[in-house]
Amino acid sequence: MATLSTDLPKKAPGSGTKAQVLQLLLGAAALLTLAQYLNLLPAWLHRLPEGVIPPTAQILDAVFAFIQNDLGLIHVTRFIAEGPLEFLLDTSANLLEGKRRWPYLGPVPWAAVAGVAGVIGYALGGWRLAALGAGTFIWTALIGQWKMAMQTMSVLTVAAPLAFAIGLGLGIAAWKFAWVERVLKPMLSVLQTLPFFTYLLPAVIFFKVGPTAGAVATVIFAIPPMILMTTLGLKKVSPEVIEAGKMSGCSRWQMLRHVYVPAARTEILVGVNQVIMLCLAMVVLTAFIGMPGLGAKLLAMMGSFKLGRSFEIGVTIVLLAVTLDRMSKAWVVKQPVHFEKGTPWWIRHRMVLTALGVFLGFILLAQLFPILGSIGRKQHFSQGKEIDVLIKGFLALDGIRAVTEWLRWFLNVKVLIPFRDTLLSIPTPAFILMVVSFSYWLGGRRPAVFAAIFFTIVAFSGWWDRSIITLYAVISAVVLAMMIGIPLGILASRSEAWSRRVLLACDTAQTFPSFIYLIPAIMLFGVNDVAVVFSILIFATVPLTRYTVEGLRTVPPEMTEAADMSGSTRRQKLLSVQLPLALPTMAVGFNQAIMFAFFMVIIAAFIGTQDLGQELQRTLAGTELGKNFVLGLNVSLMALTFDMAITAWAEHRKRALGLD
């Protein structure tokens, strides 16, 4: 008996207490919900009365007005907007799109830009990247979207370097001073989960509508990853490298410039890649505040349901995103080239000289052949109208229409609307208890405490029902994405060739600006809840698929070999060995899917929703900065709740598996 008792699995410390707490929380939630369904629950327990909702938005409006007017911050920001920032934007706009401003040199011929992009691509990654770089800009010119693309790029060329410089400086400060890191960490967590509409209204109020406000919103949106990656890279510098720098007699500045920053090069360049991609995504989204360019045109075309033209603009945005992503990633992996002392300067800088020669050569050729300088309306090859007719004809086919109409009816009537109404029918305290139970079960005590605080703040914001509708869209999309992404990842992981293909597709899909995902949703389902969930679903499936493949591929071979030797079937091996070991990595995919879903649900407000995104979009038409901040904070707090629970679970799981 003694031998048998030692073989029995022991309960984890505190597991009995945890089960009791969960039963208590869920039992209280069930009782409150049942009382509501039986009409026995007082109205004030179902939803908080308006009388107890604090006037948070009005208080914040007063605070912002004091900062803006009484402290005079508006004068400082307007000086920046109308001074150095507008100067930089006007200069880049003059060079790229020909805006009539200093230095009165533009626009640069499209062929020159394409040629330089080809040279840069070749220098970073060879002929394939050169073809991608040059081909992207050739396509943009030939399809008649050059001016719009250059309007977007003129802001990007200013915003990305500013975000890099500010992020690098703050990252170094956070690495150097612990108190700076402690201050920045919670701020960055909130900034990374705030919906993009929350960035736009303050930018409009404090800076001028148009490119200046768009550039400011873009810079702030793109800074967080640069700070995080810089801090991470500097912390990872090996002690040997630091010791070598000190032994060579470097001063503090020399240590930073010649030792720490070069040693952290890879992480810093990963931050640059993320800055560029976030800047491009945000520049497109700033169309909502009057930013001209590809985003504004796409917004207008989608609003008038011109799907063919929307498709062409979408392809251009995707090509630009893929090109910038591939080039910046190639820069990350490319090691610096060192030359022997005495090497001629023209050999050391041959790629720069080649790019300059190509640039000047195409400028001269454009004087002889005007079509290399600009392509007019009657010269471009846009097939927007023809594609529009083709898409609408395809969607009008009886079989396609029958399938999409049945799916729309089934998902709306049988799944989405009943699920939404069920969530809305749950009393506020019962819903909070359910979220707390989930966080406690998944992540433990600390995430549960924060879940209680965060959702209580949401309840007292006065926007509870809108928040629940937002959450309903997120949960619906993520659950459906799991049903697609996880099986797809499992199937792909069984073959090395398919793993590479699927990961390449995921990498490419992650470079797509979020607006792109609205196009197939609107094409197939029109404007309704199904289109909203479908657009979020496509966006959220990518990280789930990616990290399922990555997780299963990183399972140690000896574990799968042991399962094979024990006679396990493929199904048993998957369920008992591979998935349990892959779950910590897959948790990153779950986390990203939820974060992506919260981001995308705000974008989907363009389709027409009844959630926080729709209210946020309405605030852009006025000056309700307090309301804008409250709505954005609600989205951020709900996203942070899930982020903390999943992150805590992943850490516990890694420790249990000995992966730390």
Side-chain angles (χ1 to χ4, degrees):
M1 287 297 292
T3 306
L4 286 173
S5 64
T6 57
D7 292 336
L8 290 173
K10 295 179 180 179
K11 287 186 177 180
S15 60
T17 306
K18 185 173 184 178
Q20 290 170 359
V21 172
L22 285 172
Q23 288 171 5
L24 184 64
L25 292 171
L26 291 172
L31 284 174
L32 287 168
T33 306
L34 182 62
Q36 167 64 21
Y37 290 163
L38 296 174
N39 293 320
L40 299 175
L41 194 72
W44 62 272
L45 270 177
H46 180 242
R47 290 290 183 270
L48 293 177
E50 287 188 15
V52 302
I53 303 295
T56 311
Q58 291 84 345
I59 293 170
L60 287 173
D61 277 333
V63 171
F64 290 136
F66 174 76
I67 294 170
Q68 178 182 340
N69 301 316
D70 296 346
L71 293 183
L73 183 61
I74 188 72
H75 303 299
V76 177
T77 56
R78 286 296 168 91
F79 170 77
I80 294 170
E82 295 170 3
L85 184 57
E86 190 167 33
F87 172 78
L88 290 172
L89 290 169
D90 283 345
T91 302
S92 63
N94 171 254
L95 294 172
L96 293 176
E97 59 164 299
K99 193 173 181 181
R100 294 182 181 178
R101 294 289 189 276
W102 188 90
Y104 301 101
L105 296 174
V108 174
W110 67 264
V113 176
V116 171
V119 174
I120 294 172
Y122 181 77
L124 292 173
W127 286 110
R128 288 186 179 181
L129 199 53
L132 176 63
T136 295
F137 289 101
I138 291 170
W139 155 274
T140 305
L142 295 181
I143 211 71
Q145 295 170 13
W146 186 257
K147 186 169 184 179
M148 291 183 292
M150 291 305 103
Q151 287 172 338
T152 298
M153 292 296 292
S154 68
V155 177
L156 182 65
T157 54
V158 172
L162 284 175
F164 163 74
I166 296 169
L168 182 68
L170 290 174
I172 292 171
W175 160 73
K176 192 74 175 172
F177 306 105
W179 67 268
V180 175
E181 186 177 18
R182 285 195 298 272
V183 170
L184 284 178
K185 207 165 186 179
M187 292 173 61
L188 294 176
S189 297
V190 173
L191 283 173
Q192 287 187 303
T193 52
L194 278 177
F196 76 95
F197 278 135
T198 308
Y199 291 87
L200 298 184
L201 186 58
V204 169
I205 291 174
F206 286 99
F207 300 86
K208 295 196 304 182
V209 174
T212 49
V216 170
T218 301
V219 168
I220 297 171
F221 186 70
I223 282 174
M226 191 67 226
I227 298 174
L228 293 170
M229 293 309 299
T230 300
T231 307
L232 176 66
L234 293 171
K235 283 182 177 179
K236 286 174 65 178
V237 176
S238 67
E240 293 83 5
V241 173
I242 299 169
E243 191 63 31
K246 288 179 179 177
M247 289 177 66
S248 65
C250 291
S251 64
R252 286 186 179 182
W253 168 248
Q254 289 171 330
M255 283 289 293
L256 177 64
R257 184 181 174 188
H258 298 295
V259 177
Y260 282 105
V261 171
R265 176 182 180 276
T266 299
E267 287 79 10
I268 290 172
L269 290 180
V270 169
V272 172
N273 170 260
Q274 293 186 19
V275 163
I276 291 170
M277 300 315 296
L278 287 176
C279 281
L280 180 60
M282 193 62 172
V283 165
V284 172
L285 295 173
T286 51
F288 283 101
I289 55 171
M291 173 68 204
L294 291 169
K297 194 67 175 178
L298 180 61
L299 196 63
M301 292 296 103
M302 289 173 64
S304 56
F305 215 62
K306 293 179 179 177
L307 298 178
R309 192 69 168 149
S310 298
F311 175 79
E312 284 187 342
I313 297 170
V315 170
T316 302
I317 295 172
V318 168
L319 284 173
L320 285 172
V322 170
T323 300
L324 293 172
D325 179 61
R326 295 288 185 272
M327 285 188 174
S328 54
K329 281 182 177 175
W331 190 17
V332 172
V333 299
K334 187 176 178 62
Q335 294 300 313
V337 178
H338 300 284
F339 295 94
E340 292 182 5
K341 192 174 182 180
T343 303
W345 67 271
W346 55 269
I347 292 179
R348 287 186 281 118
H349 303 288
R350 63 180 181 274
M351 279 300 170
V352 175
L353 292 173
T354 303
L356 183 61
V358 168
F359 181 75
L360 295 174
F362 275 115
I363 286 178
L364 293 174
L365 285 173
Q367 308 304 313
L368 300 174
F369 307 100
I371 197 168
L372 294 176
S374 63
I375 295 178
R377 281 190 177 184
K378 295 181 179 179
Q379 296 170 305
H380 65 66
F381 298 97
S382 173
Q383 300 294 309
K385 291 181 180 178
E386 291 77 4
I387 296 172
D388 200 38
V389 171
L390 191 66
I391 290 173
K392 289 179 179 177
F394 174 75
L395 296 175
L397 292 173
D398 292 339
I400 300 297
R401 191 166 57 186
V403 171
T404 54
E405 286 179 357
W406 181 84
L407 267 176
R408 185 166 59 236
W409 168 82
F410 176 77
L411 290 173
N412 258 329
V413 177
K414 300 295 183 181
V415 180
L416 297 178
I417 293 176
F419 180 50
R420 182 196 67 191
D421 292 345
T422 300
L423 292 183
L424 287 171
S425 70
I426 299 172
T428 301
F431 199 100
I432 294 173
L433 288 172
M434 290 167 64
V435 174
V436 171
S437 301
F438 171 80
S439 296
Y440 185 56
W441 167 73
L442 191 65
R445 187 181 303 169
R446 189 170 181 271
V449 170
F450 277 103
I453 295 169
F454 290 168
F455 269 78
T456 301
I457 293 172
V458 172
F460 277 94
S461 71
W463 296 99
W464 179 262
D465 283 354
R466 297 274 184 166
S467 300
I468 297 304
I469 293 172
T470 303
L471 196 57
Y472 130 80
V474 168
I475 294 172
S476 302
V478 171
V479 169
L480 291 171
M482 287 169 59
M483 295 168 64
I484 297 170
I486 294 175
L488 181 60
I490 290 171
L491 289 172
S493 67
R494 291 178 177 175
S495 161
E496 189 65 31
W498 276 106
S499 292
R500 285 197 304 270
R501 289 169 192 155
V502 169
L503 287 175
L504 178 62
C506 289
D507 283 344
T508 305
Q510 280 192 305
T511 62
F512 292 3
S514 47
F515 251 135
I516 303 302
Y517 294 97
L518 296 179
I519 297 175
I522 294 174
M523 282 167 49
L524 292 171
F525 302 108
V527 177
N528 50 59
D529 278 15
V530 177
V532 171
V533 171
F534 184 75
S535 62
I536 303 170
L537 158 71
I538 305 172
F539 202 44
T541 300
V542 174
L544 283 168
T545 305
R546 178 185 180 81
Y547 285 99
T548 300
V549 175
E550 294 280 13
L552 291 171
R553 289 177 75 193
T554 54
V555 173
E558 55 269 22
M559 300 299 293
T560 54
E561 287 170 9
D564 289 332
M565 291 174 66
S566 66
S568 298
T569 63
R570 178 180 278 187
R571 184 170 176 272
Q572 289 171 330
K573 185 168 63 174
L574 176 68
L575 296 177
S576 302
V577 178
Q578 292 173 308
L579 281 178
L581 289 171
L583 276 175
T585 303
M586 291 171 65
V588 179
F590 291 121
N591 199 2
Q592 282 199 10
I594 292 171
M595 296 302 108
F596 283 13
F598 272 107
F599 179 80
M600 191 65 196
V601 76
I602 305 303
I603 305 289
F606 176 77
I607 294 177
T609 56
Q610 298 176 331
D611 61 0
L612 294 172
Q614 194 67 27
E615 288 297 325
L616 274 165
Q617 192 174 350
R618 287 174 186 157
T619 62
L620 296 180
T623 56
E624 299 173 286
L625 197 53
K627 177 183 173 183
N628 178 276
F629 185 79
V630 169
L631 294 168
L633 189 62
N634 280 0
V635 177
S636 178
L637 292 175
M638 290 191 293
L640 281 171
T641 299
F642 291 99
D643 175 62
M644 293 181 71
I646 294 171
T647 302
W649 178 87
E651 289 173 356
H652 295 158
R653 185 70 182 171
K654 283 180 181 178
R655 281 198 294 270
L657 294 170
L659 298 176
D660 273 351

